[in-house]
Amino acid sequence: MLRKLYEDGYAQYLDSAYRLALDMSRSCYPTYADGLKTRQDFDEAAKRPFKRDNYTMLLYEQEGKALGLIQYYVLDEDKYVQPDIFCIEQGYGMAVEEFAEYLHRELPGYTLHFVVSEKNTEAVGALEGLGASRDEVSLVGVMRFEEYSPLPETDGVVPVTRENFSTFAELHSQWDGKMYWDNAHLLEALDDWHICYVQKEGRALAAVYYRYVDGSMEIFGIDFEGDRFDEGCFRALMVRALNESKRDGMKDMTFFHDEESRPAVNSVGIRTIDTYFGYSYKL
């Protein structure tokens, strides 16, 4: 059973929910088991439904016993819904199925996006049992900037502005229709992003795009010309992004990457801690 929680009743469930949030097998992404986020971060995130109209918090119960906390947000213009807290003591798969049924009633025609660790086998089984599409498989890397010493930068790395966005857009167009942060969405929110590319003969060979959120830096993606990994471009972009983030006073960072880039990622001081699966499911 799912029951909506309000500001006067949710706090009593936070201790148990946070304990579950530290276990990747019983929670979703964003993870609080990364060694970066704190209990204070979790508590602040849990206040969002009472400050923002597009967030909702639910209590998951079975036979009158509280078994977990679910929080999700909705982007109506994109018919997009995603949980950012999904902490369940037991019966995770059943909770996922019940949540999907709930959303079918509340948000028909929307698409549920759900990101979990490979360790959360119950969630994986439930989502695949529903027929959800596994759209992403990614390694998760983390770094504390207090542990990072700036590295020498490479010439030819260009910051993206509105004036030269079209050069980046030509490269990033390979993802149009395949991810939320396509060219249109990035351009609309450009002030919230840091983007730079490696330039050669007037074109972008590779690009990185990242943002700052509450003192943390998250690299959302790195594009390559022809979608072919280039270690030289990769390292040039990573060093620029890490150096800039440290100069800007960021505390830590998260970077989602793949096996091919893992040696280069680890070589600049980023630790790989998990593999996540990203699913989408049409309601």
Side-chain angles (χ1 to χ4, degrees), residues 119-135:
K119 300 178 181 70
N120 194 337
T121 54
E122 286 192 52
V124 169
L127 289 162
E128 296 189 355
L130 289 169
S133 172
R134 185 188 290 184
D135 302 321

Side-chain angles (χ1 to χ4, degrees), residues 42-61:
F42 182 80
D43 288 351
E44 286 300 314
K47 293 177 182 177
R48 289 172 186 160
F50 318 114
K51 295 181 176 181
R52 305 182 190 179
D53 293 339
N54 63 324
Y55 275 79
T56 300
M57 183 178 286
L58 303 171
L59 181 68
Y60 177 63
E61 300 173 301

Side-chain angles (χ1 to χ4, degrees), residues 66-213:
L67 293 178
L69 205 62
I70 298 170
Q71 178 175 293
Y72 68 93
Y73 64 93
V74 177
L75 303 176
D76 288 319
E77 64 273 21
D78 299 299
K79 293 195 170 183
Y80 181 108
V81 55
Q82 180 171 340
D84 61 355
I85 294 175
F86 205 106
C87 301
I88 306 298
E89 178 75 36
Q90 63 186 51
Y92 206 105
M94 291 179 60
V96 170
E97 292 167 0
E98 189 166 337
F99 181 58
E101 291 176 6
Y102 167 88
L103 292 178
H104 266 296
R105 297 191 299 270
E106 297 291 319
L107 299 166
Y110 283 56
T111 298
L112 168 63
H113 297 263
F114 211 125
V115 184
V116 295
S117 168
E118 65 175 355
K119 300 178 181 70
N120 194 337
T121 54
E122 286 192 52
V124 169
L127 289 162
E128 296 189 355
L130 289 169
S133 172
R134 185 188 290 184
D135 302 321
E136 294 182 74
V137 178
S138 183
L139 302 179
V140 182
V142 297
M143 170 187 279
R144 289 187 179 277
F145 280 105
E146 66 182 9
E147 301 167 356
Y148 173 72
S149 297
L151 296 168
E153 297 188 16
T154 304
D155 293 337
V157 178
V158 179
V160 170
T161 64
R162 295 188 185 278
E163 287 69 31
N164 66 4
F165 188 88
S166 60
T167 302
F168 163 74
E170 186 173 350
L171 173 66
H172 193 58
S173 63
Q174 62 187 297
W175 301 113
D176 285 347
K178 299 177 183 177
M179 65 161 61
Y180 176 78
W181 289 111
D182 55 16
N183 280 318
H185 286 99
L186 282 174
L187 181 59
E188 182 180 6
L190 190 58
D191 292 342
D192 299 325
W193 286 86
H194 299 258
I195 307 174
C196 56
Y197 60 82
V198 177
Q199 180 176 253
K200 182 179 180 180
E201 298 175 354
R203 71 181 194 276
L205 299 182
V208 61
Y209 34 108
Y210 57 100
R211 57 186 175 181
Y212 301 157
V213 180

